[in-house]
Amino acid sequence: MSQNNIHTQFHRFVSPDEKAELLGQKGTVLWMYGLSGSGKSTIAAAVERTLHDLGRYVVILDGDNFRHGLNSDLGFSDKDREENVRRVAEVAKMFASQGAIVIVSVITPKKVFRSSARQIVGSGFQGIYIKASFETCAKRDPKGLYAKVESGEIKQFTGKDSGFEEPEFAELIVDTETTEVMESAAQVIELLSMAS
Ligand code: ADP
């Protein structure tokens, strides 16, 4: 089907500004990235709970949940990881345009994936690097994945046989080797309040 025959609809719908006014918050995407086991989901849950209790509307887009559903056709090649990020970014953008504070938790291992997510989402994107070394994540191994990597059961694993690029720039870097969960959540919420 030709793209020329697709007519996106925005003008007929309630505008993002009106939704922001109704909800008392601005649509934002907090994009958390980092190695498996670095603490993305743990911090996302703490941020969500705190904001929710403060009366904010938060949506969590968790990478593993996407891979169970919408992205279940994708694997872990660079091409599939790029497509995984593209779809999550498009969904994040939709929710943010409806006024939600969106917390994304996806490894997003390459700079080019992060910049494409930033580009897709546009204004309101905040990149947050959840930092922990491969060794620390392997020791934590909350999902038992590092043990499977060690035994050769899992291939194309980020930080092992699939690369992770450290960021040169991030709106926030949270080092979970030195920062407790609630302190990390507080830093994310502080970033959010500066951004809105
Ligand atoms: P990810 O979503 O990045 O794959 P998870 O949040 O699922 O990572 O797992 C991180 C694990 O590390 C959890 O078991 C969590 O309890 C543990 N952990 C230990 N210290 C921290 C910390 N300071 N911040 C976040 N998680 C931590």
Side-chain angles (χ1 to χ4, degrees):
M1 198 196 310
S2 165
Q3 286 285 337
N4 294 335
N5 295 328
I6 304 215
H7 301 274
T8 52
Q9 304 288 320
F10 295 109
H11 56 286
R12 297 202 275 203
F13 303 145
V14 176
S15 71
D17 281 352
E18 287 173 278
K19 296 204 175 181
E21 202 179 321
L22 176 78
L23 293 168
Q25 64 183 43
K26 213 171 116 197
T28 308
V29 176
L30 303 169
W31 191 287
M32 296 188 187
Y33 59 94
L35 292 178
S36 176
S38 60
K40 301 179 295 299
S41 305
T42 304
I43 295 167
V47 172
E48 180 191 38
R49 172 51 60 194
T50 306
L51 289 174
H52 179 84
D53 291 349
L54 290 169
R56 300 277 171 244
Y57 179 56
V58 184
V59 168
I60 299 249
L61 300 182
D62 188 88
D64 281 349
N65 293 352
F66 264 75
R67 283 188 174 280
H68 270 281
L70 182 62
N71 292 355
S72 58
D73 57 324
L74 300 175
F76 291 89
S77 66
D78 277 356
K79 192 165 164 284
D80 280 6
R81 285 173 187 266
E82 185 182 7
E83 178 61 9
N84 183 50
V85 167
R86 188 188 72 78
R87 291 184 200 171
V88 177
E90 290 286 359
V91 175
K93 179 186 179 176
M94 279 184 209
F95 274 110
S97 73
Q98 308 293 325
I101 295 165
V102 184
I103 308 177
V104 173
S105 153
V106 170
I107 297 172
T108 336
K110 293 198 185 304
K111 288 180 197 162
V112 66
F113 301 164
R114 284 162 339 226
S115 52
S116 97
R118 182 182 292 276
Q119 204 176 1
I120 288 167
V121 170
S123 69
F125 181 97
Q126 304 288 322
I128 303 169
Y129 176 31
I130 308 297
K131 183 176 176 182
S133 69
F134 185 87
E135 291 69 28
T136 296
C137 295
K139 243 183 253 154
R140 291 178 181 165
D141 204 8
K143 300 160 205 161
L145 299 177
Y146 285 82
K148 289 186 182 168
V149 170
E150 196 55 40
S151 69
E153 205 180 312
I154 296 180
K155 303 280 181 217
Q156 294 179 309
F157 194 75
T158 311
K160 185 82 176 176
D161 44 7
S162 182
F164 184 88
E165 296 170 357
E166 297 277 319
E168 271 148 33
F169 167 80
E171 275 83 3
L172 177 66
I173 297 176
V174 177
D175 185 341
T176 66
E177 292 186 23
T178 54
T179 317
E180 291 301 325
V181 176
M182 289 320 292
E183 170 56 23
S184 301
Q187 289 181 14
V188 173
I189 291 165
E190 165 80 11
L191 174 72
L192 179 68
S193 63
M194 288 189 311
S196 42

